[in-house]
Amino acid sequence: MRVWIKRILLALALLIAAGIGYGAWRFGHPALPADTQTLTSGRVATGDVAVRYFGTTTLAFGDGRNGVMVDALLTRPGMSHVLFGTVASDRPLVRSLLTRAGLGKLDLLLVTHTHYDHALDIAPVAGLTGATIVGSPSTRAVALGGGVPDKRIRSIKGGERFTAGDFTVTAIRSVHSLGDRVPGEVTAPLTQPASVKAFKEGGTFAYLIEHRGFRILVHASANVVPGMYRGVKADVVFLATGGLAPHPADFTTRYWDDVVKATGAKLVVPIHWDDFLLPLDQPLQPLRRFLDDIPLTMSRIGALAARDGVKVRYMPVIAPIDIQATKGN
Ligand SMILES: [Zn+2]
């Protein structure tokens, strides 16, 4: 073979290898920044608020008497389901995770919006715990499709308040992160299995959860209506961080200022940063590089937190955290 043909073939082989290598890298998970700190779990006394985290934006708050959950993605279907097929709740898995977390009974299930990564498992969670579902009219449609009786669903517009024992919840109208891939409303009861595209956004809410004067804000989609937290104070914010990286650093700054600075919170717990195509029996990992750049977002957030004297701490999976006692341990 002529030398020049050999050279072209070698160059082509190198190019293909580099392409494959780059593809694998983009498809992989980055690491969180080295200075990432996770809260330490321990026993939580009855009467104090224990928080449990299930990845993405799924959180449970309980004081030993009453319980409030935000969103419900426990099944976390794998990539082949999400890209090429349909998604459905895995009821035995939902039951076993709730049991592991000691969530036999819940009063309220607050739904931030109806994309499947927030709302897939709302019906089995309500069915297994007796929780009343709170959310948009689309949330009602997802719940009805899962067999939840209408009397256990509250449709909201924003501004409503709900109580459960010492918990008081306020629904606050918010807005979805930029680049909503599935906008619109769910207008008819949604039965599963269903396409990911059937879980339309349906309007986005944040929830302020107050417990004996301690104020927890769950802001589960990374965008904000300027001024939406005027007059609202919070001690801790569970802050969505996915979807910020592709936008200029300014956008993250305004988001931080309008949510964290506006409410005066001194503790921020990042949520919605993990790859929800991985099951919960594997460690949480940041979203894959081709979807997001979580390390970049976290470095921006870290700088804003340092500027404002705010602590950023991650939640462990399912293990209870005494959030009120947390002094950044
Ligand atoms: Zn969404």
Side-chain angles (χ1 to χ4, degrees), residues 112-118 176-177 180-182 199 201 204 220-221 272:
T112 63
H113 63 279
T114 40
H115 283 156
Y116 95 95
D117 53 327
H118 300 255
H176 196 270
S177 62
D180 181 349
R181 289 193 184 90
V182 194
F199 289 85
E201 183 242 349
T204 294
S221 199
H272 217 339

Side-chain angles (χ1 to χ4, degrees), residues 54 56 58 71-77 116-118 120-121 276:
F54 298 86
T56 51
T58 301
D71 288 343
L73 177 68
L74 300 167
T75 299
R76 291 164 70 101
Y116 95 95
D117 53 327
H118 300 255
L120 180 67
D121 296 317
F276 47 89

Side-chain angles (χ1 to χ4, degrees), residues 39 51-53 59 61 216-221 236-240 255 259 267-271 313 315 323:
L39 293 165
V51 189
R52 289 181 171 82
Y53 183 49
L59 290 153
F61 303 86
I216 298 160
L217 178 65
V218 181
H219 190 97
S221 199
V236 50
V237 178
F238 288 82
L239 186 71
Y255 174 56
V259 181
L267 174 64
V268 163
V269 179
I271 54 174
R313 298 289 184 274
M315 286 288 292
I323 196 68

Side-chain angles (χ1 to χ4, degrees), residues 49-125:
V49 178
V51 189
R52 289 181 171 82
Y53 183 49
F54 298 86
T56 51
T57 62
T58 301
L59 290 153
F61 303 86
D63 66 1
R65 289 184 277 267
N66 296 93
V68 175
M69 192 153 164
V70 176
D71 288 343
L73 177 68
L74 300 167
T75 299
R76 291 164 70 101
M79 185 167 306
S80 58
H81 287 273
V82 172
L83 290 184
F84 307 114
T86 55
V87 290
S89 282
D90 179 340
R91 201 179 161 90
L93 177 62
V94 170
R95 183 195 294 270
S96 84
L97 286 166
L98 291 175
T99 303
R100 192 176 137 199
L103 300 174
K105 183 184 158 295
L106 289 167
D107 297 280
L108 297 169
L109 171 52
L110 314 170
V111 182
T112 63
H113 63 279
T114 40
H115 283 156
Y116 95 95
D117 53 327
H118 300 255
L120 180 67
D121 296 317
I122 60 173
V125 167

